Amino acid sequence: MSNTALTEAVYYILLSLIKPMHGYGIMQNVEQLSNGRVKLAAGTLYGAINTLLEKGWIISLPGEKDSRKKEYQITIQGKQRLESELLRLRELIENGNRILEVK
């Protein structure tokens, strides 16, 4: 499992895919989760989706025969990577709070 930090966009995409979702739904969900701070353009989203598919962190679900909408879902490996990132972020926060003496 890679210890490389996830980009904020990838982090939110993986969080979004805990439940199956199509591309437009991911874009909307990421914007909502980030309180409007992260807005994904279609090119950015689908580039990230292709990378996540290659890494095996998400899968493409079989769709309805006549539907153009593809749904995606996080895999066990993707969920483990997301959990690893959450632990990394917690460590950053704890260290920052300790050094800056923030309560």
Side-chain angles (χ1 to χ4, degrees):
M1 189 79 45
S2 171
N3 287 331
T4 307
L6 297 179
T7 65
E8 196 169 7
V10 167
Y11 180 79
Y12 280 124
I13 291 167
L14 289 173
L15 271 181
S16 295
L17 293 176
I18 294 296
K19 295 181 180 178
M21 199 171 288
H22 55 78
Y24 185 68
I26 296 168
M27 291 167 67
Q28 290 179 312
N29 199 52
V30 166
E31 189 170 345
Q32 179 184 6
L33 287 171
S34 69
N35 294 316
R37 203 172 30 77
V38 179
K39 296 179 183 179
L40 297 175
T44 302
L45 172 65
Y46 289 104
I49 284 175
N50 286 332
T51 300
L52 295 171
L53 287 166
E54 289 172 9
K55 290 183 177 195
W57 294 357
I58 66 172
I59 57 169
S60 176
L61 300 175
E64 295 179 23
K65 186 176 180 181
D66 296 330
S67 176
R68 291 183 55 202
K69 290 183 183 178
K70 250 188 197 171
E71 283 196 323
Y72 303 93
Q73 187 169 20
I74 196 168
T75 63
I76 291 171
Q77 184 182 6
K79 191 172 181 193
Q80 289 171 340
R81 184 60 190 93
L82 190 56
E83 289 168 352
S84 174
E85 179 68 1
L86 187 57
L87 291 174
R88 187 189 75 78
L89 293 170
R90 282 184 183 153
E91 181 181 329
L92 289 173
I93 298 291
E94 289 169 7
N95 288 334
N97 284 338
R98 182 175 44 80
I99 299 293
L100 295 172
E101 298 177 354
V102 175
K103 299 289 175 188

